[in-house]
Amino acid sequence: YFGPWVPHKTSALTKTGLEMAEFAKFFPQVQSGAVAVTRGLFLAPLTAAAVLLGLAISRLVVRPILRLVSTGLPVLLALVALPPYGFYLAPDYRVHLILAVGGVVLVLLTLPAHRLPLRIWGVVVVTLALAGVVLALRQFALLHPLIVSLYGSPLAPGWGLATCVVGFALLLFGG
């Protein structure tokens, strides 16, 4: 997710999954609503990964105190989706805030998830893996023609996007 989704020989024009949420707002077609990109959904893989990490910690860490302490990492990961300070209530950043707060709540709800039957745990993993990758890929598919037009050359998706898709696909099949 943190690797390049839009590769370019110039580092300033290389965009990661995290940067795509901000990068999308600079396109006039997105600003006018002609291309219906929901920028915050580029953060869905990050939030899904945080909750999946919380589930893994719940399943793998046996001691309750260690499970509680270890859950701090996925909580911090979910908080990366927070909008910039001062924009928490701005309409443009509503999806960011919902994903961040919802991610933290879901990560905290994973603490007792070690008690879930394996079948339900698998369904939750599959659902999160699908939501994490499909929502962001849809936004990327909408934005990709605009990026190609802006850069003036055909661009293949970067290795960061490919790695993100492969990782979530593995989680999907594993779940």
Side-chain angles (χ1 to χ4, degrees):
Y1 178 74
F2 294 107
W5 282 33
V6 178
H8 197 271
K9 62 184 176 186
T10 305
S11 64
L13 296 177
T14 299
K15 300 298 170 201
T16 66
L18 184 62
E19 294 170 330
M20 292 299 292
E22 288 300 310
F23 181 59
K25 76 179 180 184
F26 295 112
F27 288 92
Q29 299 90 332
V30 173
Q31 291 175 355
S32 70
V35 178
V37 172
T38 305
R39 299 180 308 110
L41 292 180
F42 280 110
L43 301 170
L46 183 68
T47 304
V51 178
L52 286 165
L53 181 59
L55 281 171
I57 288 169
S58 175
R59 180 66 71 176
L60 299 174
V61 178
V62 179
R63 300 184 80 190
I65 190 72
L66 278 175
R67 190 178 310 125
L68 182 62
V69 170
S70 299
T71 304
L73 178 63
V75 165
L76 290 175
L77 187 60
L79 288 175
V80 171
L82 271 176
Y85 180 74
F87 291 94
Y88 292 150
L89 301 178
D92 290 349
Y93 290 98
R94 188 168 291 134
V95 175
H96 295 64
L97 185 63
I98 290 169
L99 283 173
V101 172
V104 169
V105 169
L106 288 174
V107 166
L108 293 175
L109 288 175
T110 64
L111 284 169
H114 63 282
R115 296 183 186 143
L116 288 175
L118 274 179
R119 185 177 303 270
I120 293 174
W121 195 81
V123 168
V124 171
V125 168
V126 166
T127 304
L128 285 168
L130 272 174
V133 75
V134 170
L135 294 172
L137 277 180
R138 173 77 176 122
Q139 302 312 304
F140 184 78
L142 291 170
L143 197 59
H144 189 260
L146 301 177
I147 297 168
V148 168
S149 173
L150 176 69
Y151 286 12
S153 64
L155 291 170
W159 65 263
L161 177 61
T163 305
C164 185
V165 169
V166 168
F168 277 108
L170 288 173
L171 284 167
L172 181 66
F173 292 122

Short mmCIF file of all heavy atoms in Angstrom, two decimals, residues 22-37 39 143 146-147 149-150:
data_model
loop_
_atom_site.label_atom_id
_atom_site.label_comp_id
_atom_site.label_asym_id
_atom_site.label_seq_id
_atom_site.Cartn_x
_atom_site.Cartn_y
_atom_site.Cartn_z
N GLU A 22 -5.18 12.35 -1.48
CA GLU A 22 -4.99 13.80 -1.63
C GLU A 22 -4.75 14.18 -3.08
O GLU A 22 -5.21 15.22 -3.53
CB GLU A 22 -3.81 14.27 -0.77
CG GLU A 22 -4.11 14.27 0.71
CD GLU A 22 -5.28 15.17 1.07
OE1 GLU A 22 -5.30 16.35 0.65
OE2 GLU A 22 -6.18 14.70 1.77
N PHE A 23 -4.03 13.36 -3.80
CA PHE A 23 -3.69 13.64 -5.19
C PHE A 23 -4.95 13.79 -6.05
O PHE A 23 -5.01 14.64 -6.93
CB PHE A 23 -2.80 12.52 -5.73
CG PHE A 23 -2.33 12.67 -7.14
CD1 PHE A 23 -1.60 13.78 -7.53
CD2 PHE A 23 -2.60 11.69 -8.08
CE1 PHE A 23 -1.15 13.92 -8.84
CE2 PHE A 23 -2.15 11.82 -9.38
CZ PHE A 23 -1.43 12.93 -9.75
N ALA A 24 -5.96 12.98 -5.77
CA ALA A 24 -7.18 12.98 -6.57
C ALA A 24 -7.91 14.32 -6.53
O ALA A 24 -8.58 14.69 -7.49
CB ALA A 24 -8.11 11.87 -6.11
N LYS A 25 -7.78 15.05 -5.44
CA LYS A 25 -8.55 16.29 -5.32
C LYS A 25 -8.05 17.41 -6.24
O LYS A 25 -8.75 18.39 -6.44
CB LYS A 25 -8.55 16.77 -3.87
CG LYS A 25 -7.27 17.42 -3.38
CD LYS A 25 -7.43 17.87 -1.95
CE LYS A 25 -6.17 18.52 -1.44
NZ LYS A 25 -6.29 18.87 -0.03
N PHE A 26 -6.89 17.24 -6.82
CA PHE A 26 -6.34 18.30 -7.66
C PHE A 26 -6.82 18.23 -9.11
O PHE A 26 -6.54 19.13 -9.89
CB PHE A 26 -4.81 18.28 -7.61
CG PHE A 26 -4.28 18.61 -6.24
CD1 PHE A 26 -3.63 17.65 -5.49
CD2 PHE A 26 -4.45 19.87 -5.70
CE1 PHE A 26 -3.15 17.93 -4.23
CE2 PHE A 26 -3.97 20.17 -4.43
CZ PHE A 26 -3.33 19.20 -3.69
N PHE A 27 -7.53 17.19 -9.47
CA PHE A 27 -8.03 17.08 -10.84
C PHE A 27 -9.32 17.88 -10.97
O PHE A 27 -10.25 17.69 -10.18
CB PHE A 27 -8.29 15.61 -11.19
CG PHE A 27 -7.04 14.81 -11.37
CD1 PHE A 27 -6.48 14.12 -10.31
CD2 PHE A 27 -6.40 14.78 -12.59
CE1 PHE A 27 -5.32 13.40 -10.46
CE2 PHE A 27 -5.23 14.05 -12.77
CZ PHE A 27 -4.69 13.37 -11.71
N PRO A 28 -9.41 18.75 -11.96
CA PRO A 28 -10.63 19.55 -12.14
C PRO A 28 -11.88 18.68 -12.35
O PRO A 28 -12.96 19.04 -11.91
CB PRO A 28 -10.34 20.38 -13.40
CG PRO A 28 -8.86 20.40 -13.52
CD PRO A 28 -8.36 19.13 -12.91
N GLN A 29 -11.70 17.53 -13.02
CA GLN A 29 -12.84 16.64 -13.26
C GLN A 29 -13.38 16.07 -11.95
O GLN A 29 -14.58 15.82 -11.82
CB GLN A 29 -12.44 15.48 -14.19
CG GLN A 29 -11.97 15.91 -15.55
CD GLN A 29 -10.45 16.16 -15.62
OE1 GLN A 29 -9.81 16.51 -14.63
NE2 GLN A 29 -9.87 15.99 -16.80
N VAL A 30 -12.52 15.86 -10.99
CA VAL A 30 -12.94 15.35 -9.68
C VAL A 30 -13.58 16.49 -8.89
O VAL A 30 -14.61 16.32 -8.24
CB VAL A 30 -11.76 14.73 -8.91
CG1 VAL A 30 -12.15 14.36 -7.49
CG2 VAL A 30 -11.21 13.52 -9.66
N GLN A 31 -12.98 17.68 -8.95
CA GLN A 31 -13.52 18.84 -8.24
C GLN A 31 -14.91 19.21 -8.72
O GLN A 31 -15.77 19.57 -7.93
CB GLN A 31 -12.59 20.04 -8.40
CG GLN A 31 -11.27 19.89 -7.68
CD GLN A 31 -10.32 21.05 -7.96
OE1 GLN A 31 -10.61 21.94 -8.77
NE2 GLN A 31 -9.17 21.03 -7.31
N SER A 32 -15.13 19.10 -10.03
CA SER A 32 -16.44 19.46 -10.59
C SER A 32 -17.48 18.36 -10.42
O SER A 32 -18.66 18.60 -10.60
CB SER A 32 -16.30 19.80 -12.07
OG SER A 32 -16.01 18.62 -12.82
N GLY A 33 -17.03 17.16 -10.11
CA GLY A 33 -17.96 16.04 -9.96
C GLY A 33 -18.18 15.27 -11.24
O GLY A 33 -18.98 14.34 -11.28
N ALA A 34 -17.49 15.65 -12.32
CA ALA A 34 -17.62 14.92 -13.59
C ALA A 34 -17.12 13.49 -13.46
O ALA A 34 -17.65 12.57 -14.08
CB ALA A 34 -16.87 15.66 -14.70
N VAL A 35 -16.08 13.30 -12.68
CA VAL A 35 -15.57 11.97 -12.37
C VAL A 35 -15.82 11.76 -10.87
O VAL A 35 -15.25 12.46 -10.04
CB VAL A 35 -14.07 11.83 -12.70
CG1 VAL A 35 -13.56 10.46 -12.31
CG2 VAL A 35 -13.82 12.09 -14.18
N ALA A 36 -16.68 10.81 -10.56
CA ALA A 36 -17.14 10.61 -9.19
C ALA A 36 -16.17 9.76 -8.38
O ALA A 36 -16.42 8.60 -8.11
CB ALA A 36 -18.52 9.99 -9.18
N VAL A 37 -15.06 10.36 -8.00
CA VAL A 37 -14.06 9.67 -7.17
C VAL A 37 -14.32 10.05 -5.72
O VAL A 37 -14.41 11.23 -5.38
CB VAL A 37 -12.63 10.09 -7.59
CG1 VAL A 37 -11.60 9.54 -6.62
CG2 VAL A 37 -12.32 9.62 -9.00
N ARG A 39 -12.47 10.19 -2.67
CA ARG A 39 -11.05 10.18 -2.32
C ARG A 39 -10.73 9.37 -1.08
O ARG A 39 -9.73 8.68 -1.01
CB ARG A 39 -10.55 11.62 -2.13
CG ARG A 39 -10.66 12.47 -3.35
CD ARG A 39 -10.16 13.89 -3.15
NE ARG A 39 -10.71 14.60 -2.01
CZ ARG A 39 -10.01 14.92 -0.92
NH1 ARG A 39 -8.76 14.61 -0.81
NH2 ARG A 39 -10.58 15.58 0.07
N LEU A 143 -9.79 7.09 -11.65
CA LEU A 143 -8.79 8.16 -11.70
C LEU A 143 -7.68 7.90 -12.72
O LEU A 143 -7.07 8.84 -13.21
CB LEU A 143 -8.18 8.34 -10.30
CG LEU A 143 -7.44 9.63 -10.03
CD1 LEU A 143 -8.34 10.84 -10.22
CD2 LEU A 143 -6.88 9.61 -8.62
N LEU A 146 -7.42 9.91 -15.99
CA LEU A 146 -7.05 11.31 -15.75
C LEU A 146 -5.55 11.44 -15.50
O LEU A 146 -4.93 12.41 -15.94
CB LEU A 146 -7.82 11.86 -14.55
CG LEU A 146 -9.35 11.83 -14.64
CD1 LEU A 146 -9.97 12.35 -13.36
CD2 LEU A 146 -9.84 12.62 -15.84
N ILE A 147 -4.98 10.48 -14.81
CA ILE A 147 -3.54 10.50 -14.54
C ILE A 147 -2.76 10.30 -15.83
O ILE A 147 -1.78 11.01 -16.09
CB ILE A 147 -3.16 9.42 -13.50
CG1 ILE A 147 -3.84 9.72 -12.16
CG2 ILE A 147 -1.66 9.34 -13.31
CD1 ILE A 147 -3.77 8.57 -11.16
N SER A 149 -3.74 11.05 -18.81
CA SER A 149 -3.88 12.30 -19.57
C SER A 149 -2.97 13.39 -19.01
O SER A 149 -2.33 14.12 -19.78
CB SER A 149 -5.34 12.75 -19.52
OG SER A 149 -5.50 14.01 -20.10
N LEU A 150 -2.88 13.49 -17.71
CA LEU A 150 -2.03 14.50 -17.08
C LEU A 150 -0.56 14.25 -17.35
O LEU A 150 0.19 15.17 -17.69
CB LEU A 150 -2.28 14.53 -15.57
CG LEU A 150 -1.39 15.46 -14.75
CD1 LEU A 150 -1.74 16.91 -15.07
CD2 LEU A 150 -1.54 15.18 -13.27
#
